[in-house]
PDB file of all heavy atoms in Angstrom:
ATOM      1  N   ALA A 250       0.839  -1.202   0.000  1.00  0.00           N
ATOM      2  CA  ALA A 250       0.000   0.000   0.000  1.00  0.00           C
ATOM      3  C   ALA A 250       0.873   1.251   0.000  1.00  0.00           C
ATOM      4  O   ALA A 250       0.578   2.223  -0.698  1.00  0.00           O
ATOM      5  CB  ALA A 250      -0.941  -0.002   1.205  1.00  0.00           C
ATOM      6  N   SER A 251       1.955   1.208   0.741  1.00  0.00           N
ATOM      7  CA  SER A 251       2.890   2.324   0.743  1.00  0.00           C
ATOM      8  C   SER A 251       3.493   2.517  -0.642  1.00  0.00           C
ATOM      9  O   SER A 251       3.588   3.644  -1.143  1.00  0.00           O
ATOM     10  CB  SER A 251       4.001   2.074   1.765  1.00  0.00           C
ATOM     11  OG  SER A 251       5.002   3.058   1.660  1.00  0.00           O
ATOM     12  N   GLY A 252       3.893   1.418  -1.278  1.00  0.00           N
ATOM     13  CA  GLY A 252       4.451   1.497  -2.627  1.00  0.00           C
ATOM     14  C   GLY A 252       3.456   2.050  -3.632  1.00  0.00           C
ATOM     15  O   GLY A 252       3.802   2.883  -4.478  1.00  0.00           O
ATOM     16  N   ALA A 253       2.188   1.616  -3.532  1.00  0.00           N
ATOM     17  CA  ALA A 253       1.151   2.112  -4.439  1.00  0.00           C
ATOM     18  C   ALA A 253       0.929   3.608  -4.230  1.00  0.00           C
ATOM     19  O   ALA A 253       0.772   4.366  -5.194  1.00  0.00           O
ATOM     20  CB  ALA A 253      -0.153   1.347  -4.220  1.00  0.00           C
ATOM     21  N   TYR A 254       0.937   4.024  -2.964  1.00  0.00           N
ATOM     22  CA  TYR A 254       0.756   5.441  -2.665  1.00  0.00           C
ATOM     23  C   TYR A 254       1.913   6.260  -3.237  1.00  0.00           C
ATOM     24  O   TYR A 254       1.711   7.303  -3.846  1.00  0.00           O
ATOM     25  CB  TYR A 254       0.623   5.659  -1.160  1.00  0.00           C
ATOM     26  CG  TYR A 254       0.482   7.114  -0.817  1.00  0.00           C
ATOM     27  CD1 TYR A 254      -0.765   7.736  -0.882  1.00  0.00           C
ATOM     28  CD2 TYR A 254       1.587   7.881  -0.476  1.00  0.00           C
ATOM     29  CE1 TYR A 254      -0.893   9.081  -0.595  1.00  0.00           C
ATOM     30  CE2 TYR A 254       1.463   9.230  -0.199  1.00  0.00           C
ATOM     31  CZ  TYR A 254       0.221   9.818  -0.251  1.00  0.00           C
ATOM     32  OH  TYR A 254       0.090  11.159   0.014  1.00  0.00           O
ATOM     33  N   MET A 255       3.126   5.785  -3.037  1.00  0.00           N
ATOM     34  CA  MET A 255       4.297   6.521  -3.534  1.00  0.00           C
ATOM     35  C   MET A 255       4.316   6.563  -5.066  1.00  0.00           C
ATOM     36  O   MET A 255       4.703   7.581  -5.653  1.00  0.00           O
ATOM     37  CB  MET A 255       5.589   5.907  -2.997  1.00  0.00           C
ATOM     38  CG  MET A 255       5.730   6.073  -1.502  1.00  0.00           C
ATOM     39  SD  MET A 255       5.571   7.822  -1.005  1.00  0.00           S
ATOM     40  CE  MET A 255       5.712   7.670   0.745  1.00  0.00           C
ATOM     41  N   ALA A 256       3.882   5.493  -5.716  1.00  0.00           N
ATOM     42  CA  ALA A 256       3.766   5.509  -7.179  1.00  0.00           C
ATOM     43  C   ALA A 256       2.735   6.550  -7.605  1.00  0.00           C
ATOM     44  O   ALA A 256       2.935   7.275  -8.584  1.00  0.00           O
ATOM     45  CB  ALA A 256       3.380   4.127  -7.700  1.00  0.00           C
ATOM     46  N   ASN A 257       1.658   6.647  -6.851  1.00  0.00           N
ATOM     47  CA  ASN A 257       0.622   7.636  -7.133  1.00  0.00           C
ATOM     48  C   ASN A 257       1.172   9.058  -6.991  1.00  0.00           C
ATOM     49  O   ASN A 257       0.823   9.948  -7.769  1.00  0.00           O
ATOM     50  CB  ASN A 257      -0.560   7.411  -6.179  1.00  0.00           C
ATOM     51  CG  ASN A 257      -1.838   7.988  -6.691  1.00  0.00           C
ATOM     52  OD1 ASN A 257      -2.134   7.931  -7.875  1.00  0.00           O
ATOM     53  ND2 ASN A 257      -2.620   8.542  -5.785  1.00  0.00           N
ATOM     54  N   GLN A 258       2.051   9.270  -6.010  1.00  0.00           N
ATOM     55  CA  GLN A 258       2.683  10.581  -5.844  1.00  0.00           C
ATOM     56  C   GLN A 258       3.553  10.920  -7.055  1.00  0.00           C
ATOM     57  O   GLN A 258       3.599  12.063  -7.493  1.00  0.00           O
ATOM     58  CB  GLN A 258       3.523  10.612  -4.570  1.00  0.00           C
ATOM     59  CG  GLN A 258       2.704  10.635  -3.313  1.00  0.00           C
ATOM     60  CD  GLN A 258       1.748  11.806  -3.287  1.00  0.00           C
ATOM     61  OE1 GLN A 258       0.561  11.663  -3.543  1.00  0.00           O
ATOM     62  NE2 GLN A 258       2.254  12.973  -3.003  1.00  0.00           N
ATOM     63  N   THR A 259       4.238   9.938  -7.597  1.00  0.00           N
ATOM     64  CA  THR A 259       5.064  10.156  -8.779  1.00  0.00           C
ATOM     65  C   THR A 259       4.196  10.536  -9.971  1.00  0.00           C
ATOM     66  O   THR A 259       4.529  11.445 -10.739  1.00  0.00           O
ATOM     67  CB  THR A 259       5.897   8.894  -9.092  1.00  0.00           C
ATOM     68  OG1 THR A 259       6.701   8.591  -7.943  1.00  0.00           O
ATOM     69  CG2 THR A 259       6.785   9.094 -10.299  1.00  0.00           C
ATOM     70  N   ILE A 260       3.062   9.874 -10.113  1.00  0.00           N
ATOM     71  CA  ILE A 260       2.122  10.222 -11.185  1.00  0.00           C
ATOM     72  C   ILE A 260       1.628  11.656 -10.993  1.00  0.00           C
ATOM     73  O   ILE A 260       1.521  12.422 -11.960  1.00  0.00           O
ATOM     74  CB  ILE A 260       0.947   9.229 -11.233  1.00  0.00           C
ATOM     75  CG1 ILE A 260       1.448   7.846 -11.676  1.00  0.00           C
ATOM     76  CG2 ILE A 260      -0.160   9.725 -12.163  1.00  0.00           C
ATOM     77  CD1 ILE A 260       0.421   6.734 -11.512  1.00  0.00           C
ATOM     78  N   ALA A 261       1.331  12.034  -9.759  1.00  0.00           N
ATOM     79  CA  ALA A 261       0.887  13.405  -9.485  1.00  0.00           C
ATOM     80  C   ALA A 261       1.921  14.412  -9.987  1.00  0.00           C
ATOM     81  O   ALA A 261       1.577  15.399 -10.643  1.00  0.00           O
ATOM     82  CB  ALA A 261       0.639  13.597  -7.986  1.00  0.00           C
ATOM     83  N   ASN A 262       3.182  14.145  -9.696  1.00  0.00           N
ATOM     84  CA  ASN A 262       4.241  15.046 -10.151  1.00  0.00           C
ATOM     85  C   ASN A 262       4.307  15.115 -11.673  1.00  0.00           C
ATOM     86  O   ASN A 262       4.550  16.178 -12.236  1.00  0.00           O
ATOM     87  CB  ASN A 262       5.594  14.612  -9.591  1.00  0.00           C
ATOM     88  CG  ASN A 262       5.681  14.825  -8.099  1.00  0.00           C
ATOM     89  OD1 ASN A 262       5.034  15.703  -7.535  1.00  0.00           O
ATOM     90  ND2 ASN A 262       6.475  14.002  -7.441  1.00  0.00           N
ATOM     91  N   LEU A 263       4.086  13.987 -12.344  1.00  0.00           N
ATOM     92  CA  LEU A 263       4.146  13.954 -13.807  1.00  0.00           C
ATOM     93  C   LEU A 263       3.041  14.767 -14.467  1.00  0.00           C
ATOM     94  O   LEU A 263       3.205  15.259 -15.579  1.00  0.00           O
ATOM     95  CB  LEU A 263       4.106  12.514 -14.312  1.00  0.00           C
ATOM     96  CG  LEU A 263       5.352  11.670 -14.012  1.00  0.00           C
ATOM     97  CD1 LEU A 263       5.107  10.214 -14.389  1.00  0.00           C
ATOM     98  CD2 LEU A 263       6.564  12.221 -14.744  1.00  0.00           C
ATOM     99  N   VAL A 264       1.910  14.900 -13.772  1.00  0.00           N
ATOM    100  CA  VAL A 264       0.805  15.690 -14.323  1.00  0.00           C
ATOM    101  C   VAL A 264       0.751  17.081 -13.676  1.00  0.00           C
ATOM    102  O   VAL A 264      -0.283  17.742 -13.693  1.00  0.00           O
ATOM    103  CB  VAL A 264      -0.558  14.962 -14.195  1.00  0.00           C
ATOM    104  CG1 VAL A 264      -0.554  13.674 -14.989  1.00  0.00           C
ATOM    105  CG2 VAL A 264      -0.922  14.707 -12.742  1.00  0.00           C
ATOM    106  N   HIS A 265       1.881  17.487 -13.095  1.00  0.00           N
ATOM    107  CA  HIS A 265       2.047  18.812 -12.504  1.00  0.00           C
ATOM    108  C   HIS A 265       1.071  19.083 -11.366  1.00  0.00           C
ATOM    109  O   HIS A 265       0.589  20.201 -11.195  1.00  0.00           O
ATOM    110  CB  HIS A 265       1.940  19.903 -13.577  1.00  0.00           C
ATOM    111  CG  HIS A 265       2.842  19.650 -14.733  1.00  0.00           C
ATOM    112  ND1 HIS A 265       4.220  19.724 -14.646  1.00  0.00           N
ATOM    113  CD2 HIS A 265       2.581  19.270 -16.009  1.00  0.00           C
ATOM    114  CE1 HIS A 265       4.749  19.426 -15.809  1.00  0.00           C
ATOM    115  NE2 HIS A 265       3.791  19.138 -16.657  1.00  0.00           N
ATOM    116  N   GLU A 266       0.804  18.048 -10.599  1.00  0.00           N
ATOM    117  CA  GLU A 266      -0.015  18.170  -9.388  1.00  0.00           C
ATOM    118  C   GLU A 266       0.930  18.010  -8.208  1.00  0.00           C
ATOM    119  O   GLU A 266       1.774  17.110  -8.205  1.00  0.00           O
ATOM    120  CB  GLU A 266      -1.086  17.076  -9.369  1.00  0.00           C
ATOM    121  CG  GLU A 266      -2.045  17.146  -8.210  1.00  0.00           C
ATOM    122  CD  GLU A 266      -2.911  18.395  -8.207  1.00  0.00           C
ATOM    123  OE1 GLU A 266      -3.445  18.765  -9.262  1.00  0.00           O
ATOM    124  OE2 GLU A 266      -3.033  19.002  -7.126  1.00  0.00           O
ATOM    125  N   SER A 267       0.810  18.865  -7.218  1.00  0.00           N
ATOM    126  CA  SER A 267       1.746  18.789  -6.098  1.00  0.00           C
ATOM    127  C   SER A 267       1.497  17.571  -5.220  1.00  0.00           C
ATOM    128  O   SER A 267       2.415  17.072  -4.581  1.00  0.00           O
ATOM    129  CB  SER A 267       1.674  20.066  -5.261  1.00  0.00           C
ATOM    130  OG  SER A 267       0.386  20.219  -4.708  1.00  0.00           O
ATOM    131  N   ASN A 268       0.255  17.089  -5.189  1.00  0.00           N
ATOM    132  CA  ASN A 268      -0.050  15.996  -4.271  1.00  0.00           C
ATOM    133  C   ASN A 268      -1.366  15.329  -4.633  1.00  0.00           C
ATOM    134  O   ASN A 268      -2.353  15.997  -4.873  1.00  0.00           O
ATOM    135  CB  ASN A 268      -0.126  16.552  -2.845  1.00  0.00           C
ATOM    136  CG  ASN A 268      -0.337  15.488  -1.804  1.00  0.00           C
ATOM    137  OD1 ASN A 268       0.004  14.329  -2.002  1.00  0.00           O
ATOM    138  ND2 ASN A 268      -0.894  15.890  -0.694  1.00  0.00           N
ATOM    139  N   PHE A 269      -1.363  14.018  -4.682  1.00  0.00           N
ATOM    140  CA  PHE A 269      -2.586  13.225  -4.647  1.00  0.00           C
ATOM    141  C   PHE A 269      -2.570  12.623  -3.243  1.00  0.00           C
ATOM    142  O   PHE A 269      -1.688  11.840  -2.928  1.00  0.00           O
ATOM    143  CB  PHE A 269      -2.570  12.091  -5.675  1.00  0.00           C
ATOM    144  CG  PHE A 269      -2.726  12.509  -7.111  1.00  0.00           C
ATOM    145  CD1 PHE A 269      -2.417  11.611  -8.127  1.00  0.00           C
ATOM    146  CD2 PHE A 269      -3.198  13.748  -7.476  1.00  0.00           C
ATOM    147  CE1 PHE A 269      -2.571  11.957  -9.462  1.00  0.00           C
ATOM    148  CE2 PHE A 269      -3.346  14.105  -8.809  1.00  0.00           C
ATOM    149  CZ  PHE A 269      -3.035  13.200  -9.799  1.00  0.00           C
ATOM    150  N   ASN A 270      -3.515  12.986  -2.401  1.00  0.00           N
ATOM    151  CA  ASN A 270      -3.417  12.556  -1.010  1.00  0.00           C
ATOM    152  C   ASN A 270      -4.080  11.223  -0.705  1.00  0.00           C
ATOM    153  O   ASN A 270      -4.076  10.773   0.423  1.00  0.00           O
ATOM    154  CB  ASN A 270      -3.944  13.637  -0.058  1.00  0.00           C
ATOM    155  CG  ASN A 270      -5.436  13.824  -0.174  1.00  0.00           C
ATOM    156  OD1 ASN A 270      -6.074  13.283  -1.062  1.00  0.00           O
ATOM    157  ND2 ASN A 270      -5.976  14.607   0.721  1.00  0.00           N
ATOM    158  N   SER A 271      -4.642  10.563  -1.736  1.00  0.00           N
ATOM    159  CA  SER A 271      -5.275   9.270  -1.477  1.00  0.00           C
ATOM    160  C   SER A 271      -5.236   8.388  -2.717  1.00  0.00           C
ATOM    161  O   SER A 271      -5.039   8.866  -3.831  1.00  0.00           O
ATOM    162  CB  SER A 271      -6.728   9.463  -1.024  1.00  0.00           C
ATOM    163  OG  SER A 271      -7.482  10.069  -2.048  1.00  0.00           O
ATOM    164  N   VAL A 272      -5.420   7.096  -2.453  1.00  0.00           N
ATOM    165  CA  VAL A 272      -5.495   6.089  -3.510  1.00  0.00           C
ATOM    166  C   VAL A 272      -6.692   5.210  -3.180  1.00  0.00           C
ATOM    167  O   VAL A 272      -6.881   4.802  -2.024  1.00  0.00           O
ATOM    168  CB  VAL A 272      -4.224   5.198  -3.537  1.00  0.00           C
ATOM    169  CG1 VAL A 272      -4.348   4.106  -4.578  1.00  0.00           C
ATOM    170  CG2 VAL A 272      -2.981   6.024  -3.773  1.00  0.00           C
ATOM    171  N   TYR A 273      -7.509   4.913  -4.180  1.00  0.00           N
ATOM    172  CA  TYR A 273      -8.640   4.015  -3.984  1.00  0.00           C
ATOM    173  C   TYR A 273      -8.543   2.904  -5.024  1.00  0.00           C
ATOM    174  O   TYR A 273      -8.381   3.183  -6.216  1.00  0.00           O
ATOM    175  CB  TYR A 273      -9.967   4.762  -4.137  1.00  0.00           C
ATOM    176  CG  TYR A 273     -11.179   3.875  -3.959  1.00  0.00           C
ATOM    177  CD1 TYR A 273     -11.520   3.390  -2.704  1.00  0.00           C
ATOM    178  CD2 TYR A 273     -11.963   3.518  -5.043  1.00  0.00           C
ATOM    179  CE1 TYR A 273     -12.626   2.572  -2.528  1.00  0.00           C
ATOM    180  CE2 TYR A 273     -13.073   2.706  -4.875  1.00  0.00           C
ATOM    181  CZ  TYR A 273     -13.401   2.231  -3.623  1.00  0.00           C
ATOM    182  OH  TYR A 273     -14.486   1.426  -3.452  1.00  0.00           O
ATOM    183  N   GLN A 274      -8.616   1.658  -4.556  1.00  0.00           N
ATOM    184  CA  GLN A 274      -8.562   0.513  -5.460  1.00  0.00           C
ATOM    185  C   GLN A 274      -9.795  -0.341  -5.197  1.00  0.00           C
ATOM    186  O   GLN A 274     -10.101  -0.656  -4.044  1.00  0.00           O
ATOM    187  CB  GLN A 274      -7.282  -0.281  -5.241  1.00  0.00           C
ATOM    188  CG  GLN A 274      -6.055   0.556  -5.551  1.00  0.00           C
ATOM    189  CD  GLN A 274      -4.769  -0.131  -5.174  1.00  0.00           C
ATOM    190  OE1 GLN A 274      -4.650  -0.706  -4.120  1.00  0.00           O
ATOM    191  NE2 GLN A 274      -3.798  -0.052  -6.075  1.00  0.00           N
TER     192      GLN A 274
END
């Protein structure tokens, strides 16, 4: 879950978003 969250943060940076604060699967 930590890895998925951190991957989501990387995606946020790629789309010029400072933070995605949650992940839902």
Side-chain angles (χ1 to χ4, degrees):
S251 173
Y254 178 83
M255 293 306 178
N257 202 39
Q258 288 303 102
T259 302
I260 292 169
N262 291 332
L263 291 172
V264 297
H265 308 291
E266 183 64 45
S267 62
N268 184 25
F269 288 165
N270 69 351
S271 63
V272 177
Y273 179 72
Q274 298 172 316

